[in-house]
Amino acid sequence: TMGNWLVNHWFSAAVLAAWLGINIFLFTYYFLFFDRDEHYFYTRAILGSALAWARASAKCLNFNSMLILLPVCRNLLSFLRGTCSCCRRTLRKQLDHNLTFHKLVAYALALLTAVHTIAHLFNLERYNQSQQATDGSLPAVLSKMHLQGSNKWLNPIHSNRTTVEYVAFTTIPGLTGVIITLALILMVTSSTEFIRRNYFELFWYTHHLFLIYFAGLVIHGIAGLVRGQTEQSMAEVHPYHCAEYLTQREQNCTHSCCKDPEFGSIPAESWKWVLAPIILYVFERILRVWRAQQKVIVTKVVMHPARVLELQMQKKGFSMEVGQYIFVNCPAISSLEWHPFTLTSAPEEDFFSIHIRAAGDWTERLIDTFQLETPRIEVDGPFGTASEDVFQYEVAMLVGAGIGVTPFASVLKSIWYKFQQADQTLKTKKVWSVPWDHLWVFPSGSAPIPLPAESQIYFYWLCRDTGAFAWFNDLLASLEQKMAESGKADFLTYRLFLTGWDNSIANNVALHFDTATDTVTGLRHKTIFGRPMWNTEFAAVAAAHPRSVVGVFLCGPEALAKSLQKSCHQHSSLDPRKVKFYFNKENF
């Protein structure tokens, strides 16, 4: 299993290793630098090793802050996907992990922020203790040097009445640090799966605290509270030779070490790390705003059963590929909220369409609004996803769960149009799914019939309840009708799996078993009760295509993704000449 995982994910592992390696290198290098460098000898006398912990974590924070915006630059990713269209499949697949990498960097930022904050709390406490000390020790002497001149202070706390809380909430580093930390906590906690799925607006608005995060980060270090000995002062009074004279100095000292050391602030560097990504992201947002202002014409509105709204639209210059998605905004509901929806139309059609299921406050209000009037719609996109690569594989397995069938609606339509136009670039001669032998009667029983050798695409659609099938009954019925009229009724073979049912449904199906159409969906293909046995399915596909590269595409829940990914690993051969399964999942 580990060997198969490496076969499928070696490049992802390499990227992850590089990212971890750079973080480890930065932390180790700067920890040792600030823990040993002679310029910070006196600073370490007050702060100890907490100085190195704070500065090393700060460098890693800068590095990860530089990376955090890049995975969410949608236009940049679409551009890279387009330029990599001729690249190896392994390279293109990395772009589909953009949100995973974004989350990984965010968790690293949270961890490093905790380390940085704790280290500075220790620093502030030690600054405070050194300021109040009267024992003539080196930290006590260094803390009183602000009395000797403006460039000679090392301890930023100059009064015995100053508290750690006072420094944290009145100085620029302290106040910006508190604000940055609070913003990061809110962004991370509101990004959990539960909140994103059930309270998307909360996730959407709190995530825009990134503006405060970056503003605070840029100005966080400009006050320069952490200081080190200047180069000129090092040449005159090197700490390795002169430190002892600070605590044992005679009143009329004439030794070269009798001169007080001078200190300078560590220059702010965060802006150097994040300037380029911020500029790139600003251009990204400008492009989004410009495209959103282009007029969108809603040409058709269809209200499907189960409160699914279909919008067919036109926009000048709009060009799409199968499996892509757009962001939609309705100013009548909210001028700030943009929500992603997979395109269900095919590139060959003269319009683009989306299907919107009622799943939250925004979608509920949008559906209600369209039932009363046709409001103005703004569209940003389209943007690329894993499903764009369907036609790049010799064999493809398409798996949709519930409304997750939307990207494959575009694929199926496009295949049909290409077939009608006798597209020579399309390898698919016939679209199949796995044929099952009486599975609806024995859901855990018999094995599938051997797959036809000419099969190229296998399509599965899993739904939890019968109402869910109504989302795309119209689409599938339309495709069936068109194919029947063209004398190619067998062109599309698919399987619908009902994963939840009661006795009344089962009895009804049994009574009408011999009817030409399915009693659940009204379609020509009968609904199968139960879940696919994925290990059996993958084994059958591997047997039918022993030397092929198989792309497995999913738009569905994480639990199903783990199951499919596991099957991909188990059934991929270590022999590069034999079958390989590559897992692809839609990510928004």
Side-chain angles (χ1 to χ4, degrees):
T1 301
M2 180 58 70
N4 286 336
W5 188 91
L6 289 174
V7 167
N8 285 284
H9 298 279
W10 68 269
F11 197 85
S12 296
V15 172
L16 180 61
W19 174 74
L20 281 173
I22 294 173
N23 273 288
I24 293 170
F25 169 77
L26 287 173
F27 192 93
T28 304
Y29 177 84
Y30 283 102
F31 185 93
L32 295 175
F33 177 80
F34 283 98
D35 196 51
R36 298 178 180 180
D37 190 77
E38 55 195 20
H39 291 79
Y40 301 98
F41 178 88
Y42 291 124
T43 314
R44 289 193 299 273
I46 297 177
L47 302 180
S49 62
L51 169 68
W53 282 98
R55 298 309 302 171
S57 57
K59 294 295 181 182
C60 291
L61 277 169
N62 287 335
F63 170 65
N64 287 282
S65 295
M66 177 184 72
L67 298 178
I68 192 71
L69 287 177
L70 298 179
V72 292
C73 289
R74 300 193 293 261
N75 290 291
L76 173 64
L77 295 178
S78 291
F79 172 76
L80 292 176
R81 181 179 287 278
T83 56
C84 289
S85 59
C86 297
C87 301
R88 291 190 60 185
R89 182 184 297 110
T90 307
L91 297 177
R92 293 199 312 274
K93 275 176 61 66
Q94 302 315 305
L95 299 176
D96 300 327
H97 301 313
N98 61 315
L99 292 185
T100 301
F101 185 67
H102 177 72
K103 294 174 186 176
L104 187 64
V105 173
Y107 293 142
L109 285 174
L111 175 63
L112 292 165
T113 298
V115 173
H116 187 71
T117 301
I118 293 170
H120 270 317
L121 288 175
F122 276 103
N123 288 337
L124 287 176
E125 187 60 37
R126 287 171 178 170
Y127 275 139
N128 197 36
Q129 291 175 356
S130 299
Q131 169 60 29
Q132 296 183 21
T134 57
D135 56 0
S137 62
L138 183 58
V141 173
L142 291 169
S143 296
K144 301 297 188 295
M145 294 196 68
H146 64 277
L147 302 173
Q148 309 300 321
S150 59
N151 290 330
K152 296 184 178 181
W153 67 270
L154 182 61
N155 189 335
I157 298 178
H158 298 164
S159 170
N160 289 344
R161 293 191 297 264
T162 304
T163 63
V164 172
E165 293 79 7
Y166 180 83
V167 175
F169 289 98
T170 59
T171 62
I172 291 177
L175 187 58
T176 55
V178 170
I179 293 173
I180 289 172
T181 303
L182 288 176
L184 191 61
I185 289 173
L186 288 172
M187 285 189 288
V188 171
T189 55
S190 65
S191 300
T192 59
E193 185 77 10
F194 175 80
I195 291 179
R196 283 194 299 110
R197 296 297 180 190
N198 297 281
Y199 305 98
F200 184 84
E201 292 80 4
L202 177 63
F203 158 76
W204 178 262
Y205 287 119
T206 54
H207 235 58
H208 281 76
L209 290 172
F210 82 92
L211 297 171
I212 295 176
Y213 173 85
F214 278 99
L217 184 69
V218 168
I219 64 176
H220 180 61
I222 61 174
L225 294 191
V226 178
R227 293 160 70 89
Q229 192 172 0
T230 64
E231 198 68 47
Q232 182 179 350
S233 178
M234 290 282 295
E236 296 174 352
V237 283
H238 198 284
Y240 290 173
H241 308 303
C242 303
E244 59 182 304
Y245 286 90
L246 287 176
T247 56
Q248 303 173 4
R249 183 184 302 175
E250 300 176 0
Q251 189 169 6
N252 297 317
C253 180
T254 57
H255 193 276
S256 60
C257 287
C258 294
K259 185 177 180 181
D260 290 331
E262 294 186 358
F263 304 96
S265 298
I266 300 175
E269 294 183 343
S270 295
W271 67 272
K272 298 178 183 178
W273 290 83
V274 301
L275 181 62
I278 288 176
I279 291 175
L280 184 65
Y281 190 77
V282 167
F283 278 111
E284 165 87 13
R285 294 307 289 252
I286 291 173
L287 180 57
R288 292 186 195 177
V289 171
W290 175 74
R291 291 203 302 195
Q293 297 305 312
Q294 296 176 329
K295 187 177 181 181
V296 176
I297 301 173
V298 179
T299 58
K300 188 176 182 180
V301 178
V302 182
M303 192 67 208
H304 295 283
R307 280 182 68 76
V308 173
L309 175 70
E310 178 185 356
L311 297 180
Q312 295 184 9
M313 298 166 281
Q314 291 180 333
K315 180 180 178 181
K316 185 178 180 180
F318 189 91
S319 177
M320 63 163 288
E321 298 294 334
V322 295
Q324 291 187 323
Y325 68 98
I326 59 174
F327 274 79
V328 175
N329 171 262
C330 181
I333 298 176
S334 172
S335 59
L336 298 177
E337 288 187 47
W338 291 79
H339 293 259
F341 295 96
T342 304
L343 291 164
T344 54
S345 52
E348 293 81 2
E349 294 175 310
D350 60 356
F351 63 88
F352 61 96
S353 65
I354 56 175
H355 284 67
I356 303 169
R357 177 171 62 95
D361 294 340
W362 189 88
T363 52
E364 289 277 4
R365 291 172 62 188
L366 183 71
I367 292 172
D368 291 340
T369 301
F370 267 97
Q371 288 179 326
L372 299 174
E373 59 176 336
T374 303
R376 182 167 67 90
I377 291 293
E378 296 179 353
V379 169
D380 183 26
F383 302 105
T385 66
S387 297
E388 273 190 85
D389 294 335
V390 166
F391 299 137
Q392 301 294 328
Y393 289 89
E394 301 164 30
V395 181
M397 298 173 67
L398 312 181
V399 183
I403 198 71
V405 75
T406 48
F408 308 133
S410 175
V411 173
L412 294 176
K413 282 185 180 180
S414 185
I415 291 174
W416 167 243
Y417 283 115
K418 291 178 186 294
F419 186 85
Q420 279 189 317
Q421 297 164 8
D423 192 331
Q424 297 301 313
T425 64
L426 182 65
K427 294 182 180 179
T428 305
K429 301 273 181 67
K430 184 173 182 178
V431 183
W432 292 76
S433 79
V434 179
W436 287 70
D437 184 16
H438 304 299
L439 178 61
W440 69 275
V441 178
F442 306 104
S444 60
S446 54
I449 299 170
L451 295 169
E454 72 271 17
S455 296
Q456 297 290 326
I457 293 185
Y458 305 90
F459 177 51
Y460 309 80
W461 186 14
L462 290 71
C463 284
R464 187 177 300 170
D465 54 72
T466 56
F469 284 125
W471 295 339
F472 281 95
N473 273 6
D474 294 344
L475 168 63
L476 294 174
S478 174
L479 286 174
E480 282 188 345
Q481 182 181 355
K482 289 179 181 178
M483 294 171 193
E485 291 172 354
S486 303
K488 299 180 176 66
D490 294 330
F491 173 74
L492 174 63
T493 302
Y494 53 85
R495 289 294 181 268
L496 310 180
F497 294 87
L498 183 61
T499 60
W501 71 91
D502 55 30
N503 290 333
S504 63
I505 296 175
N507 292 335
N508 187 45
V509 170
L511 288 173
H512 300 88
F513 173 67
D514 294 328
T515 57
T517 58
D518 183 58
T519 58
V520 176
T521 64
L523 297 170
R524 186 166 55 86
H525 291 82
K526 300 297 183 73
T527 300
I528 300 169
F529 286 72
R531 299 176 183 274
M533 295 184 290
W534 293 118
N535 281 332
T536 307
E537 299 310 319
F538 277 79
V541 173
H545 307 280
R547 298 184 181 277
S548 296
V549 177
V550 182
V552 180
F553 296 85
L554 168 69
C555 189
E558 194 61 36
L560 182 56
K562 291 179 181 179
S563 177
L564 291 175
Q565 199 163 21
K566 182 179 178 181
S567 295
C568 286
H569 298 160
Q570 290 177 342
H571 294 278
S572 288
S573 173
L574 292 175
D575 188 339
R577 297 167 298 179
K578 295 185 178 180
V579 67
K580 296 284 186 302
F581 289 90
Y582 288 94
F583 180 72
N584 303 269
K585 185 179 185 299
E586 299 295 318
N587 293 295
F588 294 125

